[in-house]
Amino acid sequence: MQTITLANGVVMPLLGFGTFQIAPQDTQKCVEEALSVGYRHIDTASAYQNEAQVGAAIKISKIVRKELFITTKLWISDMSEEGAKKAFEKSLRDLALDYVDLYLLHMPYGDVYGAWRTLSRFYKEGRIKALGVSNFMPDKITDFCLNNELMPVINQIELHPFLQKQDIQAINEALGVRVASWASFAEGQNGIFDNEILKSIGEKYSKTPAQVVLRWLTQRGIPVIPKAIRKERMRENINVFDFSLDSSDMEAIAKLDENKTYFINHRDVESVKFLFNYME
């Protein structure tokens, strides 16, 4: 497994296993299988309501803790100084862990500064190894970095062949923040798995379009967390480090960029209202 080193020196697997939209009753089995085929980074969140099942899978695996990289996230309803404390403690209990490797502010809403103050204390105590954010647009991440002593090391954002965000990646990296991808496959939209450009590139290397997408992202230094329910897809997704895309491949994929979200505009008023009510 290839790794990256975050700005604070923490080493992070470049490819992990995502648990978004895996039902709680299915999560433990899926994570157990993911760990069995070689994944060591597991990404979850309090909003996914499956942290306890992730924790159960970790316990059963008996993998040495230092070999694992566990990410979870703080939801909007807990985005305050006191809320972050309670939510973080609950996540640790549900995961049955003494610390998490990466803890993210899931959304850029609510009292993000108060929450960050609490999480910064936990970071200094060693209960969080790396702190980051998610869904922070360029203006927000810039403001956040300029107004905090402790800088986020990750910004997890929607990023896939139809929304490539080369400029946004550059803005984040100039601040010392690594962008990570969620929805790497655009959740199957726009015929991504049958896209002729991705299929043609895959044929050159005996790889699937999904593997081409993951290699395209990881070659850009972008951590990815693809979700899979079937074990064969888990194996497929993790098997992307035995080939490299050449410049012509990267140029062909660049032509797929539509520069529009497939999911949610984090600056849209109705979207913000929807997210605030999501966990109510």
Side-chain angles (χ1 to χ4, degrees):
M1 173 61 64
Q2 291 184 10
T3 61
I4 56 170
T5 301
L6 303 175
N8 68 338
V10 167
V11 176
M12 176 182 182
L14 199 47
L15 191 148
F17 182 74
T19 63
F20 177 53
Q21 293 181 332
I22 299 181
Q25 64 268 24
D26 299 324
T27 300
Q28 182 176 335
K29 179 177 181 291
C30 286
V31 174
E32 286 179 25
E33 291 184 342
L35 293 170
S36 75
V37 302
Y39 291 84
R40 290 299 179 264
H41 175 197
I42 307 297
D43 180 281
T44 183
S46 61
Y48 304 167
Q49 300 183 49
N50 60 15
E51 288 174 305
Q53 291 76 17
V54 170
I58 292 170
K59 184 176 181 179
I60 287 173
S61 76
K62 299 189 183 304
I63 296 171
V64 177
R65 175 66 182 93
K66 66 181 180 180
E67 295 181 5
L68 296 171
F69 192 98
I70 308 301
T71 297
T72 193
K73 311 174 190 78
L74 180 73
W75 188 246
I76 302 167
S77 54
D78 299 309
M79 203 70 73
S80 66
E81 200 154 355
E82 185 60 26
K85 179 179 183 300
K86 293 177 181 177
F88 177 73
E89 298 283 6
K90 183 179 186 302
S91 288
L92 276 191
R93 288 195 303 272
D94 287 346
L95 290 164
L97 298 175
D98 296 323
Y99 68 91
V100 294
D101 299 275
L102 178 62
Y103 197 71
L104 306 179
L105 304 185
H106 205 153
M107 294 286 170
Y109 312 126
D111 184 9
V112 292
Y113 288 97
W116 196 256
R117 284 193 293 272
T118 292
L119 301 179
S120 296
R121 291 196 296 271
F122 292 151
Y123 171 79
K124 292 172 182 177
E125 293 169 3
R127 303 174 75 193
I128 298 171
K129 300 302 181 183
L131 268 173
V133 299
S134 184
N135 301 306
F136 276 47
M137 296 298 101
D139 55 338
K140 188 67 175 182
I141 191 67
T142 301
D143 173 69
F144 199 72
C145 287
L146 290 175
N147 286 285
N148 279 297
E149 178 185 359
L150 182 64
M151 304 277 276
V153 295
I154 284 279
N155 186 9
Q156 192 183 98
I157 57 178
E158 178 190 352
L159 213 163
H160 47 75
F162 308 128
L163 183 60
Q164 300 189 13
K165 294 184 175 177
Q166 300 275 0
D167 55 340
I168 290 177
Q169 181 180 4
I171 290 168
N172 277 264
E173 289 182 352
L175 294 166
V177 181
R178 179 84 63 155
V179 295
S181 163
W182 62 258
S184 301
F185 302 137
E187 293 189 5
Q189 296 188 66
N190 201 24
I192 191 168
F193 299 122
D194 295 309
N195 181 275
E196 290 301 324
I197 289 176
L198 299 175
K199 286 172 68 175
S200 176
I201 294 171
E203 287 169 2
K204 288 172 54 177
Y205 306 102
S206 298
K207 295 293 182 179
T208 65
Q211 289 172 312
V212 170
V213 170
L214 294 177
R215 191 66 189 113
W216 168 72
L217 285 163
T218 55
Q219 272 190 218
R220 288 175 57 186
I222 297 171
V224 293
I225 46 168
K227 179 197 77 174
I229 300 295
R230 302 193 311 274
K231 199 169 185 177
E232 60 269 25
R233 284 298 303 275
M234 296 177 192
R235 289 196 180 99
E236 176 186 323
N237 289 342
I238 204 172
N239 185 28
V240 296
F241 296 108
D242 58 350
F243 75 109
S244 295
L245 302 175
D246 62 29
S247 58
S248 65
D249 301 326
M250 300 298 275
E251 289 169 7
I253 295 172
K255 295 176 182 177
L256 298 176
D257 193 5
E258 299 174 353
N259 195 31
K260 67 177 184 180
T261 178
Y262 270 55
F263 301 98
I264 194 163
N265 180 351
H266 289 88
R267 290 186 175 131
D268 175 69
V269 172
E270 294 306 316
S271 295
V272 175
K273 291 177 180 177
F274 166 79
L275 289 168
F276 261 94
N277 295 319
Y278 179 73
M279 293 285 285
E280 295 301 323

